[in-house]
Amino acid sequence: MQEVTATSRHYVDRLFDPDPQKVLQGVIDMKNAVIGNNKQKANLIVLGAVPRLLYLLQQSSSSMELRTECAVVLGSLAMGTENNIKSLVDCHIIPALLQGLLSSDLIFIEACLRCLRTVFISPVTPVQLLYTDPTVIPHLMSLLSNSLRTQEYITQIFSHCCKTPEHQTILFNHGAIQNIAPLLISPSYKVRMQALKCFSVLAYENTQVSMTLVNVLVDGELLTQVFVKMMQRDQPIEMQLTAAKCLTYMCRASAIRTDDSCIVLKTLPCLVRMCSKEHLLEERVEGAETLAYLMEPDVELQRIASTTDHLVAMLADYFKYPSSVSAITDIKRVSPVCSAVEMYSYCPERLFSCPITQLCSHLLLSLDHDLKHAHELRQAAFKLYASLGSNDEDIRKKITETENMMDRIVSGLSESSIKVRLAAVRCLHSLSRSVQQLRTSFHDHAVWKPLMKLLQNAPDEVLVMASSTLCNLLLEFSPSKEPILESGVIELLCSLTQSDSPALRVNGIWALMNMAFQADQKVKVEIVRCLGTEQLFRLLSDPDTNVLMKTLGLLRNLLSTRPHIDQIMSSHGKQIMQAVTLILEAEHSIEVKEQTLCILANIADGNTAKDLIMTNDDMLQKIKYYMGHSNVKLQLAATFCVSNLIWNEEDGSQERQDKLREMGFVDILHKLTQSSDPNLSDRAKTALQQYLA
Amino acid sequence: MSGQSSGGGFLMSVVVHGDSALNEQEKELNQRLRRLYPAVNENETPLPRSWSPKDKFSYIGLSQNNLRVHYKGHGKTPKDAASVRATHPIPAACGVYYFEVKIISKGRDGYMGIGLSAQGVNMNRLPDITFAKAGWDKHSYGYHGDDGHSFCSSGTGQPYGPTFTTGDVIGCCVNLINNTCFYTKNGHSLGIAFTDLPPNLYPTVGLQTPGEVVDANFGQHPFVFDIEDYMREWRTKIQAQIDRFPIGEREGEWQSMIQKMVASYLVHHSYCATAEAFAKSTDQAVHEELASIKNRQKIQKLVLSGRMGEAIETTQQLYPNLLERNPDLLFMLKVRQFIEMVNGTDSEVRCLGGRSPKSQDSYPGSPRPFSSPSHKASSSQPYLTGFDSNCCNGVTSNKSHSSSPHSHKPCPPGSGSTLPASDISLNGSRSQQPITRGSSTAVMSKLPASQSNDVDMEVDHFTNGVTESSSNGFLNGTSKHTTEPDDCDADMEVESAQSKRQLCGGSQAAIERMIHFGRELQSMSEHLRRECGKNSANKKMLKDAFSLLAYSDPWNSPVGYQLDAIQREPVCSTLNSAILETHNLPKQPPLAQAVGQAAQCLAMMARTGSGSCAFASVDDYLH
């Protein structure tokens, strides 16, 4: 060990030799010593070779040859472990190398770019370092024309360092598209491939880039056609897949129509092919995820995909990993460990000494790798199922009929990996849009149980999906509604309504609304008790219209059937009337006002609750106002309300009729019988009949 | 054409009217089929082009050139189902085969089946034996429109794909490499439907209820599904399989074998300088003496330049007993000599033509190309056909496509670069240079055999040794434009060739000599027949050659092909092989044998149903 350090030390010492020729030889020897030797690399870094190499690289007095060799050695050091990269970045290697790019010597520039490339493609390097100096990107663009190597390295740097919309914009503004497009027909496969990757990261969720791309010509050919050619089945899989991603992103950014033949007949089939068993796990994952993204908004694409190459059945294979084959390889991996354990068992005190623990950690590492792939495959499959089934009932049926599908979703909901849980619940959500599935498979597999479990302490993104699914499970025809109610869901939903996330608030109140629909008195009371009037009114002034609408919907569902109306109004009448007044007075959409007037009509249907309106002249004036509103829906709702107030056969109907007549309601009703809207005139006539009886 | 027979006079006019369109369609069909299935030999295994009017049940009606199928039965029960097969089974050499069917009308119930079936046992019992809809009977495979199920030789279907109906285009693809089948609907692949398919299946459709009408597309129109893309994938797969094929275990064994093949090829065709250089750089022994190679080279050069008299003479000098032992060979050479006389190229008539003296002054600057056999640009002979009869003919004619010595191609990378560069450049330039033959006939014929024919001409410039060592510098060309008489100064040659070719070069003396030679040939033929019995090949050869004189312009006569320089090649290779045989050397180089074997192997694969032969064309590896 010491010996190794001593030789390493010798290499570093030679970098300080006064004779430049000897320094050069030292660097060259160092280069040959570190190639493929991670230990040597680490040693040299520890011994401080990096700052010296960087110094030599930056010195203008150094010969070009020396500077180039320094860049090569640094590039070699960067090829080692992530720790190496960290050390290099900490020594400010990036600005030094970027500075080197200003040289006029192409060989030196290529060595610097190669090293930069290696540093930037590492996940430990902060991407932002590429953008700190605003002159770097334009300079890199200008270097693109220099050689195949500069093209390969620069495009590779771009494709790894373009992570945010801001990065996309910077690259776009510096002419990335015009500069990189010609590289798609480069004679070098590596250049073509890296250029293609650049376009995929540039176009992702970027309308500006995507819209520009569709009009770009490469050697007289539209870029989309170039991508289509790259998807030909004799091209390398990596190229087919990346070209399909480019077209997918352009399509999702509305630059290509979903019914364009390059999407329907080329991109979609290509992505389906990528899901097939014959491809690498990574390719299958990426293919499935991209396909899910492509067809998410388009039912026609979903229909086509669902019948292409048995996709639905093919995805079932995603759950069969680690397969029996890889289980065998697992055994192979385990066996040396087992035999080692067996060997050491004769000498127990040595069992836990070095070699065996190394073996174990190796084994764990590879198991970990398999596990990760298994997770990735499962979540990709769930995502794709979710996308496939998001609109079409027949496809949903096909999915749920796939072998063990519901069981897989159920177990997916409780997997350790968040990614899998999220994808599983997305899939479940997509399928829960089917009335038939809610009635059958969802109930048979008691999916509500893991779903409820998932709702406890899950991150927001999981919660949104899970609660949204719960909303559907709580629909009145869902047989799962009863057991869910019994599981104490109300409290959970009420707590969701207090979330900071509007999506969660909507889902919480939506679920409560569904739950309250035609519910028992007991449930309704429980909802009101648990939610609390304060929270209810807070939700009525929620900035999110969706939340407001669902809250009004909840109120309306709570205030149905006479005994319920009276009971709730007797305990919360004052606040509810207040809230109704506020909403009717404030600026709101027609839908919100209509919903509010409907609540009022429900209140008017109560026995005792009626009085809350009748004794409130202000409210009566409001109703009158809405009867004369220009919007028929509001007129109808207000008329409904009056009709309920003056309904015969109820105690005190005579007094109420008199009072309203005095206030001029009868005249308005007469006018409304002349309405061109048949519903409204009928409703007005029915109301007037109450006076005649 | 049963579909048209009922129409009578009225239909006739329609048919006539549609003729040109029909021809267009036919042409498109042929083009597409050739492009899709280049490996199929249609003489052996014709491709399906329409439905068979003979191989159908009576409830089926055909129209529109037997491409449209309609149902004309009662369609009351499944027993009323009926089917039709295409004219021919799918040849295995397709590799991947594809056809499409468009549903014109789903009729009453849309009970349509599209698929494949084997040749039926009894046509009369079609409905219950061959199938109801495709897929219900033995060796019958179908995809049904009403339920989307696939039927594999049984009445019970498996859920397979979506249903199909009026307006849909259903495609059926047979992969003859892994014996699977998948369908497409409106250009989208539906995934594998059947595996383990038997060979020789026919495209088939079955209909069951009135009003059902479907149109087939066997290649008449572009397909909706991109089948060529699918084929590309399989071509790549097969080629990758070939590329990765494991070769010899022992280090270097493979390489040295390849080198031996290349060297023997070079020697066989007397590329002596290249052979020498190649042998030297790959450290091999040449199994024939250099002088011997050069002798053969010289003879070949003479034959290929049409100077048969000299060729025969030289052969007799160098290989004294060869021609005596092979009277048929001698006869062939003589007949060729006669043809060359007509052509005006043979030495005996050329010296009488009064042009040869000029040629002495017409050397091009050195280095002069060195004559190698048979570099004909005009070669249109199919590459693989000639192997058995003219051993090297196929190979040599192929060569002419590239101007660099193609024999370098099979070298493993690395050894190729060791070949002398000058050789390549010379070969390259040869085709552009108008041919200017080196030596005068008179001098040539007197040359001692061991000497290079250039030596006496160029004594001032080359010592003997120099010539030996720079043998790359020998003229390599000569044959490119050999339809022209091949000596004299280039400009003149071109002119005369263009203006008018004259019998025996236009000299009266030459014509007389030719007539005389013809008589000799006639008597030689009679002599031969007496000695060795009848030989129809010889008889025909002579008859064809004499026929040339029956035309005022032999070059443009029906037998004029004999005058084409390319006809010298079989003669040349036969003579070359005969010489090699006397030296106990193989009469066919192992490389050519291997290529021929590979081609035969592919043909055999096609016959035995191995579809991968479609994507392994030998040509792909030789270009």
Side-chain angles (χ1 to χ4, degrees):
Chain A
M1 188 67 190
Q2 261 177 356
E3 208 173 298
V4 175
T5 322
T7 44
S8 305
R9 160 70 60 198
H10 178 62
Y11 283 120
V12 179
D13 289 345
R14 289 170 68 191
L15 299 181
F16 292 89
D17 198 290
D19 179 355
Q21 213 40 52
K22 285 189 177 156
V23 174
L24 176 62
Q25 196 51 51
V27 176
I28 291 171
D29 290 345
M30 186 185 277
K31 175 177 77 178
N32 295 332
V34 296
I35 289 174
N37 186 339
N38 270 347
K39 190 153 238 172
Q40 186 71 274
K41 285 174 190 174
N43 281 337
L44 290 175
I45 291 172
V46 169
L47 293 169
V50 177
R52 182 62 186 168
L53 286 168
L54 282 174
Y55 172 82
L56 294 170
L57 180 137
Q58 286 171 292
Q59 276 311 338
S60 51
S61 58
S62 305
S63 71
M64 224 52 238
E65 199 186 354
L66 175 60
R67 296 172 71 186
T68 306
E69 291 296 341
C70 287
V72 172
V73 174
L74 288 166
S76 192
L77 294 178
M79 291 281 199
T81 64
E82 287 188 352
N83 278 331
N84 291 5
I85 301 262
K86 275 184 201 147
S87 314
L88 291 172
V89 173
D90 288 345
C91 293
H92 305 291
I93 189 175
I94 290 172
L97 290 171
L98 289 174
Q99 190 66 29
L101 298 182
L102 298 172
S103 156
S104 58
D105 185 293
L106 183 60
I107 307 289
F108 177 58
I109 290 176
E110 285 177 352
C112 289
L113 278 174
R114 197 174 121 83
C115 184
L116 276 171
R117 184 271 316 257
T118 313
V119 173
F120 271 121
I121 63 172
S122 162
V124 299
T125 309
V127 170
Q128 203 49 43
L129 291 173
L130 185 67
Y131 302 94
T132 28
D133 178 351
T135 64
V136 167
I137 300 294
H139 186 59
L140 286 174
M141 292 289 174
S142 73
L143 288 176
L144 271 176
S145 56
N146 284 17
S147 72
L148 287 180
R149 285 204 188 87
T150 62
Q151 288 166 359
E152 182 196 334
Y153 301 148
I154 292 171
T155 44
Q156 203 176 352
I157 291 171
F158 285 164
S159 59
H160 274 89
C161 293
C162 184
K163 305 261 190 211
T164 68
E166 292 76 44
H167 298 160
Q168 288 173 334
T169 307
I170 293 171
L171 292 172
F172 176 79
N173 288 342
H174 285 104
I177 292 177
Q178 297 83 321
N179 283 313
I180 298 172
L183 306 186
L184 288 173
I185 50 167
S186 162
S188 152
Y189 172 76
K190 282 179 179 172
V191 173
R192 287 201 304 278
M193 195 57 228
Q194 292 305 333
L196 185 60
K197 279 187 180 167
C198 269
F199 282 119
S200 82
V201 292
L202 282 169
Y204 181 65
E205 292 188 337
N206 192 314
T207 311
Q208 188 185 30
V209 170
S210 297
M211 288 295 189
T212 312
L213 285 181
V214 280
N215 297 316
V216 170
L217 290 175
V218 183
D219 200 24
E221 202 172 13
L222 276 174
L223 198 62
T224 45
Q225 284 314 303
V226 176
F227 289 152
V228 166
K229 276 190 184 162
M230 289 174 143
M231 286 192 297
Q232 281 185 356
R233 297 170 79 151
D234 53 353
Q235 296 294 329
I237 296 301
E238 183 192 28
M239 180 165 271
Q240 291 185 39
L241 184 53
T242 316
K245 274 168 117 176
C246 287
L247 288 165
T248 296
Y249 297 159
M250 287 162 74
C251 178
R252 284 303 305 268
S254 310
I256 306 176
R257 290 165 53 105
T258 49
D259 59 358
D260 191 303
S261 72
C262 81
I263 297 296
V264 182
L265 288 173
K266 296 291 170 189
T267 311
L268 182 134
C270 172
L271 288 170
V272 173
R273 281 202 305 277
M274 295 302 133
C275 299
S276 107
K277 228 190 239 176
E278 64 189 86
H279 294 124
L280 299 177
L281 300 178
E282 290 88 342
E283 291 159 356
R284 290 166 73 188
V285 169
E286 231 176 291
E289 286 182 332
T290 312
L291 181 57
Y293 182 62
L294 172 68
M295 63 189 182
E296 208 169 28
D298 189 281
V299 64
E300 201 42 49
L301 290 181
Q302 289 158 12
R303 289 199 184 114
I304 293 170
S306 75
T307 61
T308 299
D309 286 342
H310 308 301
L311 177 64
V312 175
M314 189 150 74
L315 282 177
D317 288 336
Y318 278 47
F319 296 94
K320 293 173 187 161
Y321 185 87
S323 63
S324 51
V325 178
S326 66
I328 292 167
T329 57
D330 283 348
I331 291 166
K332 275 191 199 146
R333 273 198 303 260
V334 173
S335 60
V337 181
C338 295
S339 54
V341 170
E342 196 181 294
M343 199 177 77
Y344 282 109
S345 62
Y346 298 110
C347 185
E349 68 274 18
R350 289 185 58 198
L351 181 59
F352 296 103
S353 61
C354 190
I356 186 72
T357 38
Q358 255 174 14
L359 270 176
C360 284
S361 72
H362 178 75
L363 175 70
L364 285 176
L365 266 179
S366 58
L367 281 179
D368 194 43
H369 178 79
D370 285 358
L371 220 54
K372 202 180 137 219
H373 272 306
H375 289 158
E376 285 293 311
L377 279 171
R378 281 201 287 273
Q379 63 89 21
F382 281 136
K383 265 186 202 161
L384 189 45
Y385 277 131
S387 190
L388 271 172
S390 54
N391 296 93
D392 187 292
E393 185 64 32
D394 287 342
I395 303 177
R396 286 186 199 121
K397 187 159 174 280
K398 210 167 160 182
I399 293 173
T400 42
E401 281 167 1
T402 310
E403 48 166 324
N404 304 327
M405 192 57 213
M406 291 312 287
D407 290 336
R408 280 181 178 135
I409 296 178
V410 166
S411 60
L413 290 174
S414 44
E415 267 203 35
S416 60
S417 155
I418 289 247
K419 233 175 154 182
V420 179
R421 289 210 301 270
L422 177 59
V425 74
R426 266 174 74 172
C427 181
L428 191 66
H429 177 245
S430 180
L431 298 176
S432 74
R433 291 185 186 147
S434 154
V435 176
Q436 200 201 344
Q437 298 312 324
L438 282 177
R439 284 194 171 134
T440 56
S441 56
F442 273 54
H443 186 60
D444 298 343
H445 290 84
V447 294
W448 64 272
K449 278 187 197 167
L451 192 65
M452 288 299 293
K453 218 170 137 197
L454 193 62
L455 280 162
Q456 328 280 339
N457 299 322
D460 271 10
E461 46 180 355
V462 176
L463 273 185
V464 171
M465 272 297 151
S467 53
S468 192
T469 314
L470 196 63
C471 287
N472 292 342
L473 284 168
L474 285 169
L475 286 168
E476 109 271 9
F477 50 78
S478 158
S480 306
K481 185 176 178 177
E482 274 312 306
I484 294 176
L485 277 176
E486 283 156 23
S487 74
V489 73
I490 296 175
E491 211 156 316
L492 185 113
L493 292 174
C494 290
S495 71
L496 284 183
T497 66
Q498 300 184 16
S499 160
D500 290 335
S501 146
L504 281 182
R505 292 202 301 277
V506 171
N507 287 347
I509 198 74
W510 194 342
L512 287 171
M513 177 185 96
N514 286 352
M515 191 187 284
F517 183 78
Q518 295 181 351
D520 294 345
Q521 174 81 0
K522 202 181 97 199
V523 174
K524 288 183 179 174
V525 171
E526 181 64 12
I527 291 173
V528 176
R529 187 198 63 78
C530 198
L531 191 61
T533 41
E534 228 170 285
Q535 176 60 9
L536 191 65
F537 297 128
R538 210 176 292 134
L539 291 170
L540 284 174
S541 52
D542 198 283
D544 190 304
T545 318
N546 260 328
V547 176
L548 175 55
M549 279 297 285
K550 300 301 175 213
T551 314
L552 291 171
L554 168 65
L555 264 179
R556 213 179 137 182
N557 286 348
L558 288 173
L559 294 168
S560 73
T561 71
R562 216 161 276 161
H564 296 174
I565 297 170
D566 287 337
Q567 213 221 329
I568 290 170
M569 289 311 282
S570 69
S571 49
H572 302 94
K574 208 177 141 208
Q575 294 98 317
I576 288 171
M577 289 307 285
Q578 228 167 28
V580 168
T581 312
L582 278 174
I583 292 168
L584 288 180
E585 282 174 359
E587 290 279 328
H588 278 297
S589 65
I590 299 290
E591 286 71 30
V592 169
K593 301 231 161 150
E594 185 197 9
Q595 193 72 290
T596 314
L597 287 170
C598 287
I599 291 170
L600 212 52
N602 280 10
I603 296 171
D605 191 36
N607 282 330
T608 54
K610 279 189 177 68
D611 294 341
L612 287 164
I613 300 174
M614 288 310 294
T615 54
N616 187 337
D617 281 1
D618 178 50
M619 188 58 81
L620 288 173
Q621 287 299 338
K622 285 199 169 63
I623 294 169
K624 204 169 139 191
Y625 164 76
Y626 282 108
M627 283 174 79
H629 199 272
S630 59
N631 186 294
V632 180
K633 282 182 182 171
L634 296 188
Q635 284 179 300
L636 199 59
T639 311
F640 222 115
C641 190
V642 171
S643 168
N644 280 346
L645 287 174
I646 60 178
W647 204 257
N648 277 321
E649 310 151 17
E650 283 170 20
D651 286 347
S653 62
Q654 192 58 48
E655 292 89 62
R656 289 193 292 277
Q657 284 181 2
D658 292 346
K659 176 167 184 181
L660 293 183
R661 190 201 304 271
E662 273 165 42
M663 291 181 75
F665 276 85
V666 177
D667 297 341
I668 301 178
L669 284 173
H670 274 296
K671 225 181 272 169
L672 289 181
T673 55
Q674 308 301 314
S675 164
S676 59
D677 186 277
N679 275 337
L680 184 56
S681 67
D682 280 359
R683 178 51 55 190
K685 279 174 197 157
T686 320
L688 281 173
Q689 273 166 8
Q690 304 303 316
Y691 280 98
L692 299 173
Chain B
M1 295 295 127
S2 66
Q4 285 161 11
S5 59
S6 58
F10 172 70
L11 263 184
M12 274 304 286
S13 68
V14 176
V15 171
V16 171
H17 183 72
D19 249 9
S20 67
L22 210 67
N23 287 339
E24 267 314 297
Q25 195 184 57
E26 192 74 7
K27 228 169 91 188
E28 197 185 333
L29 173 67
N30 285 330
Q31 271 174 7
R32 185 167 289 109
L33 293 182
R34 257 202 308 276
R35 193 176 68 235
L36 287 172
Y37 316 116
V40 172
N41 175 3
E42 283 214 76
N43 296 326
E44 245 176 69
T45 51
L47 287 157
R49 284 160 193 260
S50 62
W51 300 116
S52 166
K54 294 180 208 123
D55 197 7
K56 71 175 182 66
F57 189 63
S58 54
Y59 288 170
I60 289 288
L62 296 179
S63 58
Q64 307 206 350
N65 300 307
N66 294 330
L67 290 173
R68 174 164 289 187
V69 185
H70 67 269
Y71 183 78
K72 54 182 190 184
H74 322 288
K76 286 185 180 131
T77 70
K79 287 209 162 190
D80 294 329
S83 66
V84 60
R85 271 190 286 266
T87 46
H88 300 285
I90 299 163
C94 290
V96 167
Y97 181 79
Y98 186 70
F99 71 99
E100 281 180 350
V101 171
K102 180 170 178 146
I103 314 302
I104 301 301
S105 165
K106 75 175 191 75
R108 197 183 70 203
D109 296 325
Y111 288 170
M112 300 160 290
I114 292 165
L116 308 160
S117 63
Q119 182 69 267
V121 188
N122 188 336
M123 288 303 112
N124 296 332
R125 295 174 59 200
L126 247 168
D128 45 279
I129 284 217
T130 306
F131 79 149
K133 288 182 282 176
W136 280 358
D137 290 294
K138 194 157 181 288
H139 287 323
S140 158
Y141 304 84
Y143 165 34
H144 290 192
D146 52 319
D147 55 9
H149 286 190
S150 66
F151 289 75
C152 172
S153 308
S154 79
T156 40
Q158 294 283 326
Y160 168 66
T163 58
F164 57 85
T165 183
T166 308
D168 285 328
V169 176
I170 303 302
C172 176
C173 177
V174 183
N175 183 326
L176 298 127
I177 299 161
N178 59 15
N179 300 315
T180 60
C181 160
F182 68 86
Y183 288 90
T184 67
K185 179 181 169 183
N186 301 326
H188 288 279
S189 159
L190 304 177
I192 301 278
F194 308 114
T195 58
D196 304 303
L197 291 176
N200 295 318
L201 292 171
Y202 292 72
T204 307
V205 292
L207 305 176
Q208 198 184 308
T209 65
E212 291 166 351
V213 182
V214 301
D215 274 0
N217 175 9
F218 294 108
Q220 282 85 358
H221 308 285
F223 291 120
V224 179
F225 176 72
D226 191 349
I227 187 63
E228 285 172 65
D229 201 24
Y230 179 76
M231 291 171 110
R232 266 194 289 269
E233 181 179 332
W234 277 90
R235 181 171 296 117
T236 315
K237 275 186 192 168
I238 298 296
Q239 286 174 356
Q241 218 177 336
I242 293 170
D243 292 345
R244 284 197 301 261
F245 186 80
I247 47 171
E249 312 252 294
R250 266 167 292 178
E251 184 88 17
E253 203 174 55
W254 176 254
Q255 190 180 0
S256 70
M257 198 220 337
I258 295 275
Q259 285 170 347
K260 265 184 209 151
M261 283 181 99
V262 172
S264 60
Y265 179 82
L266 292 173
V267 168
H268 183 94
H269 290 295
S270 330
Y271 295 101
C272 58
T274 313
E276 206 183 342
F278 185 78
K280 203 169 155 193
S281 59
T282 54
D283 219 15
Q284 302 179 75
V286 177
H287 296 290
E288 189 184 359
E289 280 183 33
L290 198 61
S292 161
I293 303 174
K294 285 199 173 154
N295 287 338
R296 283 194 294 110
Q297 177 190 62
K298 186 196 296 174
I299 291 165
Q300 289 182 54
K301 187 167 64 173
L302 289 168
V303 173
L304 289 171
S305 58
R307 288 150 51 173
M308 289 305 300
E310 291 165 74
I312 294 168
E313 204 172 326
T314 314
T315 308
Q316 280 164 342
Q317 277 172 12
L318 296 172
Y319 306 100
N321 293 318
L322 176 70
L323 294 180
E324 277 86 86
R325 278 199 309 267
N326 284 299
D328 281 338
L329 177 61
L330 178 63
F331 183 71
M332 185 177 91
L333 296 177
K334 293 261 184 190
V335 171
R336 187 67 216 171
Q337 184 178 4
F338 175 81
I339 294 167
E340 298 297 353
M341 281 178 164
V342 175
N343 216 359
T345 40
D346 189 70
S347 347
E348 288 193 42
V349 300
R350 238 176 12 164
C351 63
L352 298 167
R355 289 185 302 173
S356 50
K358 263 192 100 177
S359 66
Q360 290 180 5
D361 304 315
S362 62
Y363 285 112
S366 59
R368 296 184 318 254
F370 119 148
S371 153
S372 67
S374 63
H375 287 227
K376 298 299 181 303
S378 53
S379 161
S380 58
Q381 219 165 329
Y383 180 40
L384 298 170
T385 51
F387 259 103
D388 294 329
S389 50
N390 328 299
C391 48
C392 67
N393 192 24
V395 178
T396 48
S397 62
N398 171 271
K399 230 189 252 195
S400 59
H401 299 301
S402 83
S403 56
S404 69
H406 85 297
S407 47
H408 295 178
K409 282 286 156 61
C411 300
S415 51
S417 58
T418 61
L419 286 162
S422 58
D423 186 64
I424 293 166
S425 68
L426 274 169
N427 276 303
S429 61
R430 134 181 79 83
S431 56
Q432 282 112 32
Q433 274 179 359
I435 309 316
T436 44
R437 293 279 330 157
S439 33
S440 90
T441 349
V443 178
M444 268 304 291
S445 53
K446 282 178 212 149
L447 272 176
S450 59
Q451 262 178 294
S452 153
N453 58 349
D454 290 288
V455 175
D456 61 327
M457 292 293 150
E458 296 269 313
V459 197
D460 298 336
H461 309 296
F462 293 106
T463 68
N464 218 342
V466 172
T467 325
E468 281 309 319
S469 64
S470 65
S471 49
N472 292 322
F474 281 82
L475 268 166
N476 212 358
T478 69
S479 50
K480 188 81 181 185
H481 301 284
T482 16
T483 41
E484 309 159 8
D486 66 337
D487 73 347
C488 297
D489 113 45
D491 294 331
M492 239 182 82
E493 277 302 314
V494 172
E495 246 170 62
S496 67
Q498 278 170 347
S499 56
K500 187 170 164 64
R501 285 173 297 198
Q502 289 178 298
L503 202 62
C504 305
S507 147
Q508 190 55 41
I511 292 175
E512 278 166 19
R513 171 78 191 104
M514 181 265 289
I515 304 279
H516 180 71
F517 187 83
R519 289 202 190 100
E520 283 174 19
L521 205 52
Q522 177 67 40
S523 68
M524 183 184 177
S525 161
E526 283 158 13
H527 179 74
L528 252 181
R529 198 175 56 217
R530 280 195 302 274
E531 297 279 302
C532 316
K534 271 193 180 176
N535 184 324
S536 55
N538 284 350
K539 194 178 164 191
K540 182 175 187 306
M541 209 190 308
L542 189 66
K543 196 181 145 214
D544 286 350
F546 283 171
S547 302
L548 285 168
L549 299 181
Y551 299 90
S552 58
D553 181 2
W555 287 270
N556 290 321
S557 71
V559 289
Y561 68 91
Q562 297 176 90
L563 296 164
D564 194 328
I566 200 166
Q567 298 299 327
R568 294 168 185 159
E569 289 184 17
V571 178
C572 179
S573 65
T574 312
L575 179 55
N576 190 35
S577 299
I579 297 171
L580 286 167
E581 268 188 305
T582 63
H583 289 243
N584 286 324
L585 289 166
K587 64 177 194 174
Q588 189 181 6
L591 181 62
Q593 210 161 358
V595 169
Q597 241 163 20
Q600 285 298 320
C601 182
L602 286 174
M604 198 177 292
M605 283 170 79
R607 263 174 245 132
T608 55
S610 281
S612 41
C613 65
F615 302 125
S617 152
V618 179
D619 275 337
D620 290 350
Y621 293 87
L622 290 176
H623 47 75

